[in-house]
Structures are given as C-alpha cells and as structure tokens.
Amino acid sequence: MTLFIIVILAAALIESMLRLSLVPRFWNWLVFLLAAPLPLLFRQRIGSASLAELNRFLSSAENLESWCALVVIQELLVLLIGSALLKEYVLGEKLKRWKFAALLPSVLLPVGILYAEVLLFNHFVFVEFRTLAILLAIGVVVVGGGGGELLRLIFRDRFGRVRAVMNFEWILLLLAIFLPVAASGRLAQDAPSSVVPFDFVVIGVLVLIVGIVMAIFTVIGKYKERKFYEHHHRNP
C-alpha cells in the first residue's frame, strides 16, 4: 500500500512543478518557500505518529476515495480552465487573471511533504526530529524550485511545457480514478504466496492504461495541430 501512496504523491509533485514552470520564476520559488515550513510546523504531531498508522489512515477506503476525489475535481477544473486560458493566449485575447488558478500546485503537495517527513522519521530514528525537519524543509525548496528550473531547461519552448502539463494532467487524473479501485483490490486479495507482488502488478496495469490513453490523446493532438497549421497556412 505504501507504493500506491508514494506513486500518486510523486505524480502530484511532478505535476505541481510542471504547472509552476509556466509562471514567472518568482512565483515558482515562492510557492515552495511557503511550503518549506510545513515539516517544522507539524514536527511534534508527525513525530508522535507511526508510518503504519499513517498508511492505515491514508489507505482506508473512505479516506483514499476522498483524497482521490479532490484530485479528480482539481484536475478536471485545471483541464477546463487551463484550456480556456490557453485559447485566450493563442488568440491574443485579454487573459482573465482568475484563470491562472489552473496553475496552482496540486492539493496533494502538502500531504506529500508531510508523508515524506513521516518516512524520514521512521527510517532515520537515530537522527533528531528537528534536524530531519530542517533538512526536509531545505529539500522542499531545492527539489521544488530546482525541479521547476530543470523542467524549463528540458522544455525550453513554452508550448512544450503546456503540452507536458496537459499530458501529465491526464496521468494524474487516471491515477486518481483507478487508484482507489486498485487499493481496494489490494486490501481484498489474500494471496501472499504470489510470485509477483500484487502492488507491482497493479502499478504495471495502471501504467499500461495510462500509456494507452496518453498515446491516443497524443495522436489526436498531433492531428489537430496539423489541421490547425494547414488551415492557417493555406494558400489563398
């Protein structure tokens, strides 16, 4: 179950960095600077919790469905509002500022930071809690802000970053939809003698489904781009 949780939290982090790579660098770094104090603020409460307790809380059917429902709602809104914002940008229309809400980081970003803190506390028991919290706070800024800079280098073209954001939106959306079902199957199955761990089988199936869907949307996107180019560059 830990693998399920880590996968969706990691996907939420990557998606957050991709979105923030579309805004000025100041806002990118500011978001992660504001998120950095979370490990210090919740240090006492996190220190009294065990990884097993947190995993049971996050992986319970009701809690998992609630978190994934929030992700699904946010991703659908991002796709709708982001598409409208992109249309205004491409057509040279006045950009409505409220639509930049589509570029806000994932609602799971704070959860991921606190879950990382629990992992550190449970695996590095010989290190003082305060020290781990400070190191994690620094890591949030370095990984988050530095990840945004890295994405700017990988996708130098703004439209390339937009395409990456839209593609990863579908990945996170599909993970949030299928993960509760997969987790329920994991909780219900009782075959410990299986040669291949069930977690990896489910993750493999999810990756396959996401890959097929992404391939379909990529082909559709390329077709629309070609039609758009032919329409706007047609000889009179």
Side-chain angles (χ1 to χ4, degrees):
M1 186 56 62
T2 302
L3 182 60
F4 290 144
I5 297 171
I6 291 176
V7 166
I8 194 166
L9 292 179
L13 172 62
I14 296 172
E15 178 58 27
S16 298
M17 292 191 296
L18 279 169
R19 289 181 201 161
L20 293 171
S21 70
L22 295 172
V23 301
R25 285 183 169 87
F26 169 78
W27 297 106
N28 178 29
W29 286 96
L30 180 62
V31 166
F32 288 102
L33 283 171
L34 292 175
L38 286 175
L40 293 168
L41 294 175
F42 290 89
R43 174 170 54 91
Q44 297 296 336
R45 182 173 296 182
I46 294 296
S48 61
S50 70
L51 182 60
E53 292 174 349
L54 186 60
N55 279 339
R56 280 195 298 270
F57 173 77
L58 292 176
S59 60
S60 68
E62 293 182 358
N63 292 327
L64 191 61
E65 288 176 3
S66 298
W67 281 112
C68 288
L70 283 176
V71 174
V72 170
I73 292 171
Q74 184 185 23
E75 299 313 310
L76 289 175
L77 288 175
V78 167
L79 287 170
L80 291 173
I81 299 173
S83 298
L85 181 64
L86 180 60
K87 179 182 177 181
E88 292 176 356
Y89 178 79
V90 171
L91 297 179
E93 300 175 357
K94 184 179 179 180
L95 302 179
K96 296 180 176 63
R97 292 186 179 276
W98 68 269
K99 291 184 178 179
F100 283 97
L103 301 180
L104 289 173
S106 171
V107 293
L108 291 183
L109 182 60
V111 180
I113 294 172
L114 297 179
Y115 189 77
E117 187 171 23
V118 176
L119 287 176
L120 289 175
F121 283 180
N122 281 267
H123 286 85
F124 297 93
V125 294
F126 52 87
V127 181
E128 186 183 359
F129 282 0
R130 180 177 175 80
T131 302
L132 288 175
I134 292 174
L135 291 175
L136 179 58
I138 296 172
V140 168
V141 178
V142 172
V143 173
E149 296 298 326
L150 179 62
L151 290 171
R152 291 173 192 270
L153 291 175
I154 297 174
F155 304 102
R156 294 182 179 272
D157 178 52
R158 181 181 294 272
F159 284 103
R161 293 200 296 274
V162 170
R163 184 181 291 111
V165 168
M166 291 299 186
N167 288 342
F168 215 86
E169 289 292 344
W170 288 108
I171 294 176
L172 190 54
L173 181 62
L174 290 171
L175 281 174
I177 292 173
F178 287 108
L179 201 58
V181 179
S184 298
R186 173 65 179 87
L187 294 172
Q189 67 91 26
D190 54 356
S193 61
S194 177
V195 177
V196 181
F198 186 80
D199 289 3
F200 290 101
V201 174
V202 173
I203 293 299
V205 173
L206 288 175
V207 169
L208 179 61
I209 293 173
V210 170
I212 293 173
V213 173
M214 289 308 306
I216 294 172
F217 278 103
T218 300
V219 172
I220 294 174
K222 291 291 185 181
Y223 175 78
K224 288 184 175 180
E225 285 181 5
R226 188 179 66 182
K227 287 295 184 181
F228 178 84
Y229 181 84
E230 291 176 353
H231 176 73
H232 288 270
H233 296 79
R234 187 180 300 162
N235 292 328

